[in-house]
Amino acid sequence: MDLDTVKERAGPREFSPADDLPEEYRKAATRMIEFHANSEIMGAYLERPFIRQAPSIDRKLAFSAKVQDEIGHGQLLYRAAESLGVKTREEMLDDLANGDGKFLNCFHYPMADWVETPMIAFFVDGAAMRRQATLRRTSWEPYAHAMDKVCFEEGFHVKHGEDILKELMTGSRKEQQMTQKAFEEWWPRIIQFFGPTDDKSTHHDFAASVGLKQQSNDALRNAFLDQYIPKARKYGLEIPDEPRIRERDDGTYEVEEGDLDWDEFFTIAKNDYEPGLGQIDGRKRAQEAVQWVRDAIEGDATAAGGHAPQAAD
Amino acid sequence: MIWEVFRQEKVGGYHTHCGNVHAPDREMAKQFAAVQHGRRKPTNSIWVVPRDEIGEIDAEDVAFGGTTDKAYRWATAYNTTGTDAREVVESEDEQATAEKQRGDD
């Protein structure tokens, strides 16, 4: 199939591994899905320490379930990316460990305290879900199928995160202040979740023209602001003065993009950001520590019948 | 020989199990499946799989999901606000439906 045919046919769940697709499509899809898969894994590693730090048994159970889910999402997505035939799962995991794999800006920042958990589990997951819901209509069928399961489970993460936020914001005065402080620190990063504005986004046009991407960064960000600003206010969080948020006449919101630190954003995007390197190293050590499990599984499968297993499919 | 049949309704949808056919080989199995399972309901594609190729474990072999109450894993366990984002409401509805169907069929 040539690129023009792909653009013509591009529709929800249109292409599957049986189709003969041009290199450009396969590369763009791999890039997008690998980024997504890496982000799921790095998000899980960021949150993992808080399973032990969670304040009650209920929270521990729910938080460990969430972290398990995120790792599972990563596995599903590596599978969807692998089926494009550009990179193997092994290559993607190696790239992530050695610092070549790209992932979401929010997961480069270290997290120190429990009050920060709803920033990820509510706001970032809420933002992620806003984007993922549109990707159920992406043109790469295995990706769309993965999104069905991801969105199903993500609802629980968002609700759980919201529940933590509610608990903190109806807790002691000190808890409220600490949560507000965490919110002020995380808010600009959360807004940057959707990436640079449409005019600065290098990959959007192609991805949109072949049906991989369903909505532009700006459209997603604005939809997110419309939903989550009222929610933040509802729980008593004050929206910081910077970045400036404008309310349009119809009650929807937009952000003053110039107020966001795009230098830091692009430094992070290149994996050059100092605190983020600690996250990557931590992931690398974990990857190495469980190498023996992968070796054992692989040895086992070869002995049994020769074809490699698809772990966590 | 028994072949299990999986039918996909629309392009991009899942192949879901819909029954089986008796056939001596793959070619016949495909033909029988098309006739028996692909005619009444809208069908985009059909898979046939030899039953022997399917690995099965059942509730006697494994306690699926364990015995712990896993209510905390469901979005419906958290009643936080009535005006959720559309995609969260969607997920919650899907989870509520799945919760209701547990134990059915």
Side-chain angles (χ1 to χ4, degrees), chain A residues 69 145 152 156 159 162 231, chain B residues 12 14 72-73 81 84 95:
Chain A
D69 283 354
H145 283 185
F152 180 88
F156 145 58
K159 297 289 272 188
E162 186 171 1
K231 283 189 179 215
Chain B
Y14 293 88
Y72 61 85
R73 266 186 117 314
T81 145
D84 275 299
Q95 294 209 10

Side-chain angles (χ1 to χ4, degrees), chain A residues 191-225:
Chain A
I191 297 179
Q192 283 175 316
F193 170 94
F194 297 101
T197 44
D198 291 354
D199 49 332
K200 292 203 197 76
S201 169
T202 37
H203 300 287
H204 174 78
D205 291 348
F206 181 80
S209 71
V210 293
L212 281 169
K213 211 169 149 184
Q214 294 293 313
Q215 268 189 22
S216 78
N217 296 356
D218 287 352
L220 288 168
R221 181 175 18 246
N222 290 338
F224 168 76
L225 292 173

Side-chain angles (χ1 to χ4, degrees), chain A residues 49-182:
Chain A
F50 293 94
I51 298 171
R52 298 182 77 178
Q53 291 183 38
S56 69
I57 185 71
D58 288 347
R59 291 282 187 237
K60 278 189 176 69
L61 282 170
F63 227 80
S64 84
K66 172 184 190 322
V67 173
Q68 280 173 9
D69 283 354
E70 307 289 17
I71 295 284
H73 297 170
Q75 298 290 353
L76 277 173
L77 287 162
Y78 284 127
R79 184 78 191 90
E82 199 177 41
S83 60
L84 286 150
V86 176
K87 280 176 97 172
T88 65
R89 177 191 303 242
E90 198 75 358
E91 283 167 346
M92 291 186 269
L93 285 170
D94 286 347
D95 278 352
L96 182 61
N98 65 31
D100 288 330
K102 305 293 168 60
F103 58 96
L104 198 63
N105 68 321
C106 291
F107 300 145
H108 284 259
Y109 298 98
M111 232 162 61
D113 200 275
W114 174 253
V115 297
E116 288 174 81
T117 56
M119 303 306 143
I120 300 281
F122 179 54
F123 290 107
V124 176
D125 281 354
M129 211 181 158
R130 161 70 45 181
R131 187 163 176 278
Q132 284 157 352
T134 69
L135 290 172
R136 294 171 88 161
R137 299 191 310 276
T138 185
S139 60
W140 184 241
E141 185 193 292
Y143 193 20
H145 283 185
M147 283 307 108
D148 284 341
K149 181 170 177 356
V150 169
C151 288
F152 180 88
E153 293 180 344
E154 210 67 44
F156 145 58
H157 304 168
V158 175
K159 297 289 272 188
H160 178 237
E162 186 171 1
D163 198 60
I164 297 173
L165 182 67
K166 181 175 133 193
E167 192 174 85
L168 288 166
M169 291 307 286
T170 52
S172 68
R173 182 111 192 92
K174 189 173 169 230
E175 277 173 328
Q176 290 175 23
Q177 283 165 349
M178 284 169 73
T179 311
Q180 173 68 30
K181 202 165 149 267

Side-chain angles (χ1 to χ4, degrees), chain B residues 39-54:
Chain B
R39 267 175 42 179
R40 282 181 192 79
K41 290 188 175 167
T43 302
N44 179 62
S45 142
I46 280 181
W47 289 344
V48 292
V49 183
R51 177 176 276 178
D52 293 348
E53 290 299 316
I54 295 175

